[in-house]
Structure formats: structure tokens, C-alpha cells
Amino acid sequence: VSSTSSELPRRLALVDVNNFYCSCEAVFNPKLRGKPLVVLSNNDGCVVSRSAEAKALGIKMAQPWHLVSKEAKAAGTLALSSNYTLYGDMSARVMKILGDLAPEQEIYSIDESFLDLTGIPYLVPHGHLIRSRVRQWTGLTVCVGVASTKTRAKLANEIAKKRAEHGGVFCIEDLAAADERSLLRGLPVNDVWGIGPRLHAQLQALGIHTTLDLKTAPAKRIREHFNVVVERIVDELNGTPCLQLESPEPRKQIVSSRSFGRAVTGEWELREAVISYVSSAAEKLRDQGSLARGLQVFVQTNVFKPDQPQYAKSLTVKLPQATDDTLTLARFAVAALRQIYREGFQYKKAGIMLFDLGPAETRQQGLFDDTPRTERRTRLNSTMDRANQRFGRGAVALAGAGIRKGWGMNRAMLSPPYTTSFEHLPEVS
DNA sequence: TCTGGGGTCCTAGGACCC
DNA sequence: TCTGGGGTCCTAGGACCC
């Protein structure tokens, strides 16, 4: 915390993109605009993004698509598989614009940033500048919520989104105390950032129903029934900052897992999947400059088919030496899989996790290291990474990861990678 | 009859976020 | 037929230390 910043009232903004995945798709395909549209999770499983029109039809977040698709399609809803290549690239563009319009930025998720706007005069006009620039440069629409703490900024953002009269920008600190009270009285307590279904139920049992109820709840009462997390939420609602803008830290664990497009029975197919997942996790590991000391492999049958024989097992391995080498990690993962694999089950999902991550600079020399070999491996990995970056994911891969990948996920309605491939540039006619 | 006090580390489970 | 994936933080309890 800088000493000068305490003089000025702290002002944070939470900026997020409206209906992010759906909006990305609509930027490049005008036929989607103004229509009910949903984007589905991996494997075309659940609804993870909805256009305003789809929300209006009552399609809920995280709904399994197969349960609602018939009705939704009858009402004119269009559905797309998720295209993370596109969303990741659009995210980077939005984040760059936001970062250029604020002294400090924390990228909080693929479509959200906290910005520190302390000291900037005319905050609401600045919010409108952010909005118009993002719209002009990317075609996406953002909403801006401004307040003295992160939790209040999240609330302000909710208001900016819900109440059209604010034009997508809302500063809660501009309200008179009485107006804030009546505003918070109208917001259910589970609109507050950090209050999920469980806490919501517990709070309701205590008679805390609205955001105002929570904000004005006696600290002692909260402490009795909950933990410091909820205490901090209450403090933050009252304008006492407990959460700071975070700078990017390397991940503490890296997970790669997928449901299969169909049931898998043979060990060889599971092995292909596990090797594929290790490859992608190890690439991320190297990208953040870490080494892993631990690895976990897990397999699972279809939990949604309880009439079928169920089996779920994971195995955790401590590596003899921290490493970022795909081949080494793959060997340990395959050995772990061999131990947990059981014949006669219909597997639906598998995954791997890398943990106990540490910086690569502190790599320890082992007593029996074959240093020339390690150096060759390092060159091999970085060559593969560069090739895959230049020619596209999977351009170079381990043979063991499989070529056809018959177990791969379903993505029946995938849009092109408009912004990251010359072959798929959108055409203007 | 009567059995301390303070600390760390690790793990599993719970809760939340997008 | 069909139900996502990737993270973080906190707490309680056990093991262990002096």
C-alpha cells in the first residue's frame, strides 16, 4: 500500500463483459445477433453462457443442454460448442484495453478485471470511456461497477447490469446513505460475492435475507455462526477493505481433465487420454516457469448412470525429483494409471493434476543426474512448445497421446477460430 | 485424586468463484 | 444418446516437536 494513496478515497472498478462467450460468437457472426443463443460447456454438456434473449426464455446457467435443448430449439434458440481459442484471444484484447485505462489492474477471470481507479476524477465518465473503447475496439459490451471495496464494486457491477437507466456504469459511493439502504434492501443476500448456496441457506435460517441485512448484521453474531471469510464480506460491504488488488502469481496446481465423448473401456484409450492431459498440463507448467514434485491421476465411470457399475479411483505420486519434462511426467502418469485401472468398467472421465509446484530456478541436482540427457530433454520440450505455438496446438505431440482420439470430446457446433488462424479470418462481402 | 502449553506441518473436506 | 473444467482459501483434526 503506497503512503500517498491513503489520502484519496479508494475507488475500485469491477469491469466484466456481458454474456462473454455468446457475445464473442456474435461479434463474428451477425446472424447470431438478437437471437436466443447459448454456448455449451466442453462435450456440449451444459449451458455456460446465454445471450440476453436466451435468458429471457428462462434458460438457466449450468443447465444440462440435453434436458432443455428440445424446448429451447423450438423457441428458436441457437447453440454453439465452446471455442476457448476464440474466447481466450478476445479476453486478451479486452484485458489490454482495460489495463491501458487504469493505473492498476487485476485480471480476475477470463472476462473480468478489477481496476484501481483511486485518484481519477469523474469516475462515471471514465467508466463510460472504458465501455465505449472496448465496444469500438472489440465489438463487446462491458459493465462497470465502482466502489470503495472489491465486494461493493461487485455489487455496483450487478446494478450496472440490471438497471439499464445507468447505461452500464454505476458508482455506489455516489448514493446518499438512505438511497444505498433502500438499494441494498432490494438485493437478495446471495447476490453478494462469496455467498453461495450453503451460506445463503444458513444466513436465511438466521433471518438474514437481504444484502442490507448482512451489511448491518452485528459482527459478534456473524463471528459466532461463521468464519473469517464471512466476517470479511461484512466488513467489505461496510466499506472496510479486506481484499487487495492481487498481482499475478504462478499457479499452485495445474489440472487437466476431460469427460470423454463416449464411454471408454480399454486401458490403451485411457492411456492416450492421460498422456494428452499430461502434455497440456506440462506445457502450462513450463509456461509459468515451474517444476512439479507431485502428480495425481484419476479415472471415473459415469456418475449420471447409477445403474451401471461405478468405479472412481485416484493415485497420487511423489516424484523423485521436481520436473517439467513431459516425457518423465507421462511415464509416471502411465504407471499410476496401470495401478488404478480395472477392467470391465465404462469410463467416462479421466484427468491428471500437477502439484507441489516450485520455481524452475531452484531445480536441485540429483546425485545420479544424467545432465546431458536432462539438457537434451529441456531443448526437446521447448522445441515442441515453440512448434505448437507457431503451428497450432497438437502440431507436435507424443505418439502415445493417440492420433484419432476416438474418446475425444464432442464439439458438434464449433465456430471457427476467427482471430487466431489466417485460414479462418472472417470474410466481409 | 491429580497428567501442560505452545507450536508447526500435513491432509481431507467444505465452500466459494467464474 | 446426452450432465464442464480449473482454480483458491479456510478449518478441523491428527501427528509430531520441544
Side-chain angles (χ1 to χ4, degrees):
Chain A
V1 179
S2 84
S3 53
T4 52
S5 68
S6 57
E7 328 255 325
L8 298 160
R10 185 177 190 250
R11 287 295 177 266
L12 305 181
L14 187 273
V15 186
D16 75 347
V17 183
N18 298 358
N19 317 326
F20 181 52
Y21 300 166
C22 282
S23 303
C24 287
E25 300 285 354
V27 165
F28 295 99
N29 184 351
K31 288 177 188 155
L32 303 175
R33 293 179 205 162
K35 301 218 174 80
L37 171 69
V38 296
V39 169
L40 306 177
S41 62
N42 278 337
N43 240 2
D44 295 339
C46 296
V47 172
V48 292
S49 179
R50 305 160 292 158
S51 68
E53 294 78 8
K55 287 176 188 173
L57 284 178
I59 300 173
K60 298 279 181 278
M61 187 65 177
Q63 255 177 343
W65 179 233
H66 76 270
L67 294 179
V68 296
S69 57
K70 202 172 167 200
E71 205 181 332
K73 283 179 190 165
T77 306
L78 305 169
L80 290 169
S81 306
S82 40
N83 183 347
Y84 284 100
T85 308
L86 175 64
Y87 313 147
D89 184 65
M90 293 299 280
S91 172
R93 294 169 191 231
V94 172
M95 295 309 164
K96 174 77 170 75
I97 295 167
L98 299 182
D100 287 347
L101 288 172
E104 300 288 342
Q105 175 185 32
E106 172 190 339
I107 298 175
Y108 176 67
S109 76
I110 193 165
D111 75 327
E112 285 172 86
S113 268
F114 285 104
L115 304 176
D116 192 338
L117 301 181
T118 302
I120 292 183
Y122 310 115
L123 280 168
V124 170
H126 192 76
H128 286 289
L129 168 67
I130 290 173
R131 231 170 106 82
S132 62
R133 187 175 290 182
V134 172
R135 177 142 12 155
Q136 188 170 1
W137 290 10
T138 69
L140 298 169
T141 303
V142 296
C143 281
V144 183
V146 180
S148 58
T149 66
K150 280 183 161 182
T151 306
R152 285 171 66 82
K154 274 274 197 181
L155 273 186
N157 179 279
E158 290 283 309
I159 308 297
K161 252 182 289 189
K162 270 188 199 159
R163 312 216 173 159
E165 68 265 29
H166 299 298
V169 180
F170 181 67
C171 175
I172 198 169
E173 310 305 348
D174 292 347
L175 290 181
D179 292 334
E180 184 183 310
R181 287 177 71 84
S182 67
L183 179 73
L184 298 190
R185 207 174 353 245
L187 294 177
V189 70
N190 57 326
D191 274 6
V192 176
W193 189 40
I195 304 299
R198 298 297 175 108
L199 287 171
H200 185 207
Q202 292 175 46
L203 286 167
Q204 280 193 311
L206 295 173
I208 296 173
H209 302 287
T210 70
T211 302
L212 183 64
D213 293 340
L214 184 61
K215 185 188 171 192
T216 55
K220 188 161 163 264
R221 190 133 179 271
I222 296 296
R223 167 143 262 179
E224 264 168 30
H225 290 91
F226 303 98
N227 53 24
V228 295
V229 181
V230 180
E231 270 188 277
R232 288 207 273 254
I233 291 171
V234 175
D235 280 346
E236 284 250 323
L237 280 178
N238 281 290
T240 303
C242 301
L243 305 171
Q244 310 304 323
L245 236 60
E246 308 276 349
S247 37
E249 297 287 334
R251 302 245 162 274
K252 296 170 181 173
Q253 60 180 48
I254 296 174
V255 177
S256 180
S257 75
R258 289 282 180 286
S259 298
F260 304 129
R262 55 158 167 80
V264 161
T265 53
E267 188 184 354
W268 67 276
E269 282 195 311
L270 285 177
R271 187 159 51 219
E272 284 188 358
V274 162
I275 293 174
S276 303
Y277 303 156
V278 167
S279 303
S280 113
E283 197 175 320
K284 287 182 194 165
L285 185 69
R286 292 189 291 270
D287 188 54
Q288 71 166 32
S290 300
L291 303 176
R293 300 193 152 275
L295 174 151
Q296 184 182 69
V297 177
F298 65 90
V299 295
Q300 197 181 316
T301 51
N302 193 338
V303 292
F304 297 105
K305 290 185 173 173
D307 46 317
Q308 288 183 354
Q310 294 289 312
Y311 177 67
K313 187 83 177 166
S314 73
L315 185 64
T316 301
V317 184
K318 288 267 173 198
L319 302 174
Q321 227 188 324
T323 183
D324 62 1
D325 176 37
T326 298
L327 290 169
T328 305
L329 291 165
R331 186 167 307 126
F332 280 102
V334 166
L337 173 66
R338 186 170 306 138
Q339 290 191 53
I340 58 178
Y341 174 76
R342 297 283 175 273
E343 256 177 60
F345 289 103
Q346 305 261 306
Y347 293 95
K348 184 59 180 172
K349 186 174 182 179
I352 68 106
M353 172 162 65
L354 305 178
F355 58 91
D356 276 2
L357 308 188
E361 304 88 67
T362 64
R363 187 195 301 259
Q364 240 179 10
Q365 283 275 309
L367 191 53
F368 304 109
D369 273 8
D370 180 350
T371 307
R373 185 165 168 274
T374 310
E375 285 171 358
R376 282 200 302 277
R377 278 294 170 78
T378 303
R379 285 202 299 278
L380 176 62
N381 283 313
S382 65
T383 302
M384 285 187 23
D385 291 346
R386 281 202 307 274
N388 285 329
Q389 211 161 28
R390 180 161 167 193
F391 299 108
R393 167 174 299 172
V396 188
L398 302 192
I403 306 293
R404 279 183 36 249
K405 303 200 189 211
W407 42 268
M409 62 181 172
N410 300 321
R411 306 168 91 185
M413 302 152 283
L414 185 62
S415 57
Y418 299 106
T419 60
T420 53
S421 159
F422 279 112
E423 287 144 60
H424 296 102
L425 289 179
E427 288 174 17
V428 179
S429 54

